[in-house]
């Protein structure tokens, strides 16, 4: 019996990404087979290719993807052939205490598509039916690639208990920051302010609905920001940059009784001067951490809400968020761009022809 083959960008070793033929997977019971149309390069993919961060070799990376249902296995009822879907990459064990509570993002025994299991830098990918979310076919495949970053922003709002009606500041105007700002507007913020060090990002934030933007390289940025709240401070603060400076900044910009949500992940040590940390007590702040975007029923409302707001057009994806699109066969060339810091400004997407 001849094995059916497909193409995939396979990582064989550090800096050795090869587009080649591999066995084509088939959908088993409860599984779906997705024809991958587009897959984004995530920041976590870069060290796996250019450094030594892959869990094993060979591995097919890619977890931010969109496509169509090509086949369904026995017992699948949630989707049918032809549905347009985005993929939820987390594969929780569904047995531990965290999973039993519906806190799938806290599962310690999880697997993950595109890092611990072959992913979507390929023609097809197979995963449980619960791990695909239908979205309106009017949404382009390249737009739907950013589905997962949208859900990360949504999860932050929901973990913070966001209710709108107050002054909100987003610390960091990258992709997730822009989505966070838009969702705060959708949820009824009275004022949305975005802070960043890059004017291009701030201009995009303004185009996408922010009431005001401030460049934090200005010596008087703190005064300008507080002026927007008549000196009271912000009721809701979302830190999405993962930078020590913005994490400390959040405490200074917060109003009394404010909620501070940390979405960003720092990669260097973070220190707080005693007096600054004391503001957590003095202002009686609520400090919330947010990780990924998975809750019950899996993958959760973060995903279904994003599908809804993309379909209605309330949640928008600016063309400038997408830096370049490459054919999947040119995946190695796409990763070469990341060798030069500052070259890539936005999402790079790999497309199947």
């Amino acid at each position: 019996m001849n094995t059916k083959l497909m193409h995939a960008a396979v990582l064989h070793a550090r800096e050795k990404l090869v587009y080649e033929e591999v066995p084509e997977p088939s959908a088993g019971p409860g599984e779906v087979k997705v024809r991958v149309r587009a897959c984004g390069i995530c920041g976590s993919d870069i060290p796996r290719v250019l450094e030594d961060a892959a869990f094993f070799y060979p591995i097919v990376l890619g977890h931010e993807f969109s496509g169509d249902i090509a086949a369904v296995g026995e017992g699948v009822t949630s989707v049918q052939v032809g549905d347009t879907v985005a993929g939820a990459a987390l594969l929780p064990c569904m047995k531990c205490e965290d999973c039993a509570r519906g806190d799938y993002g806290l599962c310690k025994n999880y697997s993950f598509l595109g890092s611990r299991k072959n992913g979507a830098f390929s023609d097809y990918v197979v995963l449980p039916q619960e791990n695909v979310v239908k979205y309106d076919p009017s949404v382009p495949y390249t737009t739907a690639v950013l589905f997962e970053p949208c859900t990360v922003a949504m999860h932050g709002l929901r973990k913070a208990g966001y209710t709108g009606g107050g002054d909100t500041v987003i610390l960091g105007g990258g992709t997730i920051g822009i989505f966070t700002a838009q969702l705060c507007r959708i949820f009824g913020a009275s004022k949305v302010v975005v802070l960043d060090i890059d004017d291009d990002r701030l201009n995009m934030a303004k185009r996408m609905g922010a009431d005001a933007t401030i460049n934090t390289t200005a010596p008087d940025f703190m005064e300008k920001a507080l002026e927007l709240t008549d000196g009271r401070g912000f009721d809701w603060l979302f830190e999405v940059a993962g930078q020590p400076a913005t994490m400390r900044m959040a405490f200074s910009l917060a109003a009394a009784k404010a909620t501070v949500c940390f979405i960003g992940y720092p990669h260097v040590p973070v220190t707080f001067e005693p007096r600054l940390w004391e503001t957590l007590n003095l202002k009686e702040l609520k400090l919330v951490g947010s990780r990924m975007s998975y809750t019950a029923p899996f993958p959760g409302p973060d995903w279904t809400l994003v599908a809804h707001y993309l379909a209605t057009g309330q949640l928008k994806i600016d063309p400038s968020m997408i830096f370049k699109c490459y054919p999947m066969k040119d995946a190695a060339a796409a990763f070469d761009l990341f060798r030069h810091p500052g070259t890539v400004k936005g999402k790079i997407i790999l497309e199947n022809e």
Side-chain angles (χ1 to χ4, degrees):
M1 181 176 175
N2 292 329
T3 301
K4 198 172 182 182
L5 299 175
M6 68 173 184
H7 284 93
V10 184
L11 183 65
H12 287 274
R14 177 176 178 167
E15 301 185 44
K16 189 177 180 182
L17 188 62
V18 182
Y19 186 71
E20 61 189 14
E21 288 187 328
V22 298
E24 183 178 313
S26 56
E31 295 181 328
V32 297
K33 179 178 177 179
V34 178
R35 172 72 166 113
V36 178
R37 300 294 184 176
C39 188
I41 294 177
C42 177
S44 63
D45 293 322
I46 299 166
R48 293 182 181 125
V49 173
L50 301 183
E51 300 173 23
D52 294 305
F55 282 98
F56 57 86
Y57 303 107
I59 177 74
V60 178
L61 303 176
H63 62 270
E64 298 177 352
F65 71 94
S66 59
D68 314 306
I69 300 294
V72 299
E74 181 183 353
V76 171
T77 58
S78 60
V79 291
Q80 59 186 1
V81 172
D83 284 343
T84 50
V85 295
L90 182 71
L91 299 163
C93 74
M94 296 297 185
K95 298 176 182 177
C96 67
E97 185 176 335
D98 291 316
C99 286
R101 290 196 306 266
D103 294 328
Y104 305 113
L106 304 182
C107 176
K108 308 299 187 299
N109 307 307
Y110 70 91
S111 186
F112 204 86
L113 201 74
S115 64
R116 303 182 184 216
K117 181 180 178 180
N118 281 341
F121 287 173
S122 55
D123 290 337
Y124 296 94
V125 67
V126 167
L127 62 170
Q129 64 172 325
E130 294 83 8
N131 284 73
V132 293
V133 177
K134 288 193 291 187
Y135 66 85
D136 193 283
S138 65
V139 179
Y141 294 117
T142 51
T143 294
V145 160
L146 290 165
F147 202 105
E148 189 261 357
C150 290
T151 69
V152 172
M154 178 69 78
H155 190 69
L157 266 70
R158 295 184 65 248
K159 287 298 295 181
Y162 192 77
T163 56
D167 292 334
T168 302
V169 66
I170 315 300
L171 302 169
T175 301
I176 293 175
I178 297 295
F179 291 144
T180 304
Q182 287 191 68
L183 289 169
C184 289
R185 170 64 64 217
I186 291 169
F187 276 48
S190 61
K191 184 180 296 176
V192 177
V193 180
V194 177
L195 274 58
D196 200 277
I197 61 173
D198 187 296
D199 283 334
D200 289 338
R201 289 181 171 185
L202 294 173
N203 289 335
M204 185 197 304
K206 204 67 183 292
R207 291 198 305 272
M208 305 303 281
D211 295 294
T213 60
I214 298 174
N215 192 312
T216 56
T217 62
D220 60 345
F221 81 89
M222 188 70 70
E223 291 80 0
K224 288 181 177 178
L226 289 173
E227 281 174 8
L228 295 171
T229 66
D230 296 323
R232 192 176 60 85
F234 291 89
D235 305 292
W236 302 91
L237 303 95
F238 294 92
E239 198 287 332
V240 295
Q243 296 295 325
T246 45
M247 297 177 80
R248 291 193 292 266
M249 201 181 293
F251 284 19
S252 298
L253 289 170
K257 305 286 186 178
T259 298
V260 178
C261 181
F262 286 166
I263 299 177
Y265 280 66
H267 297 286
V268 295
V270 182
T271 58
F272 289 85
E273 300 80 8
R275 183 62 181 172
L276 181 59
W277 185 258
E278 205 174 70
T279 61
L280 181 67
N281 305 94
L282 296 176
K283 295 181 180 180
E284 294 193 339
L285 303 180
K286 179 181 179 183
L287 185 60
V288 180
S290 180
R291 181 173 189 261
M292 296 196 287
S293 57
Y294 301 96
T295 52
F298 187 85
D302 300 326
W303 291 76
T304 52
L305 283 169
V306 165
H308 169 72
Y309 289 124
L310 283 174
T312 63
Q314 292 168 274
L315 186 58
K316 297 177 175 59
I317 293 177
D318 193 274
S320 64
M321 290 181 177
I322 299 171
F323 181 65
K324 279 189 177 181
C325 294
Y326 279 81
M328 190 70 71
K329 63 182 178 63
D330 294 333
F335 274 92
D336 280 342
L337 293 181
F338 293 101
R339 299 179 189 276
H340 310 287
T343 299
V344 178
K345 295 183 181 294
K347 180 67 67 177
I348 291 182
I349 296 175
L350 304 176
E351 295 181 284
N352 279 316
E353 299 171 318

